[in-house]
Amino acid sequence: MTTTLIDTLLDVRNLKMHFPIRRGLRKAVVGHVRAVDGVSFTIHRGETLGLVGESGCGKTTVGRCIVRAYQPTAGEIRYHEAGDLTDNVEKQRVHARHAATTDAASHGKLIDFAKLSQHDLRAYRREIQMIFQDPYSSLNPRMTVLDIVSEPLVIHTRKSPKQLKNEVADLLRTVGLRPEHMNRYPNAFSGGQRQRIGIARALALRPRLIVCDEPVSALDVSVQAQVVNLLQDLQAKFGLTYLFIAHDLSVVQHISSRVAVMYLGKIVEVAGSRELYSKPLHPYTEALLSAVPSTDPDMKRERIVLTGDVPNPANPPPGCAFHTRCPYAKPICQQETPAWRELDGGHGVACHFAEELSLRGVH
Ligand code: SF4
């Protein structure tokens, strides 16, 4: 598929998020944790981009930078707007102030979230929402479902109490819950139902992009499939675009059109979902795929167990950051950082030996 500027919803370029390490009485900065260290990717309208990697690889930090829960250290988060801006005074004001960050080729409908102040971001808050990993801690136990789901509407719209109730009832029906439960508190619901409440809250403002931060990791396997199916149904119904963050490649397989694999703050491989699962080009992806359970009971797949721990992101190894655990590493891997390359069909990879290695996929 040829990607044009019009297809792109979000274009993340060289995103960095370095957290300072402070020590001593004066809290002097003695180093930085490079949680995200030069990440670039695009998300197309209506697609689901899976973002996978082990815990601590920086994928959640990428999601939080996109919704601007964090102010990135460097890089761009270019958001392409829909429609014209003539009927939105607030956005016209933001564009006038940030004209230097817009792109003439996109007819001025492009804005860099990384450069916006929290005040200017208000104009865009309703377009990008987040679903959180833990449905237990992400819902305030002192608020009713009505208060939780209507909170974004109270902040961003001027609806009457009756209108809010009607909207919340509609949202609860949309996510498979009963409207009569809106006066209950979160502790009356199961984990799957709580995640549906979180999804209803994310949908309240009719967003265009939803960052799903490990939305099924805390749920039982039987409930995971229901929530993934719900997210797919909502995507078809409302034309949503998802960034779907997960540590498990088996979860993203069914929902993602493309998958990006992260290791130690960098993306090491990006490809269409089918291509990545059948023909991985990076040894780290091969190792993650070896842990995906097979649907064929006769097929025996040998699991690749990576030795050693993930290196410290405050002091990443030189050369290829994966060389300390890579079963195919050669001397050059310790010295030279592999360049990012796009091979056939837009399959991107950062490995010196991507063309030479014959790696195992799952299909
Ligand atoms: Fe392994 Fe070397 Fe490729 Fe890195 S560049 S993934 S160490 S083979």
Side-chain angles (χ1 to χ4, degrees), residues 125-200:
R125 283 275 176 233
R126 57 170 61 209
E127 295 181 28
I128 299 193
Q129 293 289 313
M130 192 158 185
I131 298 169
F132 298 93
Q133 175 177 2
D134 187 347
Y136 292 87
S137 63
S138 63
L139 303 180
N140 187 335
R142 292 167 195 270
M143 290 169 75
T144 62
V145 172
L146 172 62
D147 293 338
I148 291 169
V149 177
S150 65
E151 194 175 28
L153 295 165
V154 171
I155 294 169
H156 290 277
T157 66
R158 290 184 188 159
K159 293 186 187 288
S160 68
K162 189 168 178 219
Q163 287 173 318
L164 289 175
K165 265 195 173 176
N166 288 340
E167 287 236 6
V168 171
D170 278 348
L171 285 162
L172 292 181
R173 274 189 218 103
T174 303
V175 299
L177 293 172
R178 289 160 58 181
E180 55 266 36
H181 292 167
M182 70 170 76
N183 292 319
R184 295 187 179 179
Y185 290 86
N187 63 8
F189 297 90
S190 67
Q193 288 173 320
R194 286 181 196 214
Q195 198 54 297
R196 287 173 191 263
I197 296 168
I199 293 170

Side-chain angles (χ1 to χ4, degrees), residues 1-247:
M1 187 178 75
T2 318
T3 302
T4 65
L5 197 61
I6 301 299
D7 295 318
T8 304
L9 179 66
L10 200 74
D11 183 7
V12 176
R13 298 186 180 183
N14 204 21
L15 184 70
K16 294 184 182 177
M17 185 69 229
H18 296 176
F19 294 101
I21 305 168
R22 297 179 187 276
R23 293 245 169 82
L25 283 176
R26 289 172 175 270
K27 301 276 182 216
V29 176
V30 295
H32 287 89
V33 173
R34 297 158 182 257
V36 178
D37 201 19
V39 160
S40 301
F41 60 86
T42 53
I43 306 181
H44 309 143
R45 288 179 211 280
E47 79 163 350
T48 299
L49 176 70
L51 186 61
V52 297
E54 289 165 291
S55 296
C57 71
K59 54 194 188 303
T60 291
T61 307
V62 170
R64 290 188 179 179
C65 286
I66 289 171
V67 299
R68 279 294 307 278
Y70 294 145
Q71 168 68 55
T73 310
E76 294 174 285
I77 303 167
R78 299 168 145 230
Y79 175 70
H80 294 249
E81 309 211 37
D84 62 34
L85 308 177
T86 48
D87 60 346
N88 191 318
V89 177
E90 188 67 5
K91 284 188 181 175
Q92 286 177 34
R93 183 184 61 74
V94 175
H95 273 268
R97 195 182 295 179
H98 296 273
T101 65
T102 60
D103 184 336
S106 68
H107 310 294
K109 292 197 295 181
L110 187 146
I111 198 91
D112 183 1
F113 281 169
K115 305 278 189 304
L116 297 190
S117 66
Q118 288 296 334
H119 182 263
D120 286 345
L121 268 170
R122 269 185 65 92
Y124 295 90
R125 283 275 176 233
R126 57 170 61 209
E127 295 181 28
I128 299 193
Q129 293 289 313
M130 192 158 185
I131 298 169
F132 298 93
Q133 175 177 2
D134 187 347
Y136 292 87
S137 63
S138 63
L139 303 180
N140 187 335
R142 292 167 195 270
M143 290 169 75
T144 62
V145 172
L146 172 62
D147 293 338
I148 291 169
V149 177
S150 65
E151 194 175 28
L153 295 165
V154 171
I155 294 169
H156 290 277
T157 66
R158 290 184 188 159
K159 293 186 187 288
S160 68
K162 189 168 178 219
Q163 287 173 318
L164 289 175
K165 265 195 173 176
N166 288 340
E167 287 236 6
V168 171
D170 278 348
L171 285 162
L172 292 181
R173 274 189 218 103
T174 303
V175 299
L177 293 172
R178 289 160 58 181
E180 55 266 36
H181 292 167
M182 70 170 76
N183 292 319
R184 295 187 179 179
Y185 290 86
N187 63 8
F189 297 90
S190 67
Q193 288 173 320
R194 286 181 196 214
Q195 198 54 297
R196 287 173 191 263
I197 296 168
I199 293 170
R201 176 175 59 187
L203 285 178
L205 292 170
R206 301 280 181 256
R208 297 174 71 212
L209 171 68
I210 299 184
V211 175
C212 308
D213 182 15
E214 307 229 24
V216 296
S217 311
L219 305 177
D220 291 344
V221 175
S222 57
V223 181
Q224 285 184 356
Q226 293 171 15
V227 173
V228 167
N229 288 343
L230 171 64
L231 288 170
Q232 285 181 307
D233 291 347
L234 295 173
Q235 183 170 43
K237 188 170 178 184
F238 299 113
L240 295 167
T241 303
Y242 294 139
L243 174 65
F244 195 98
I245 298 169
H247 60 262

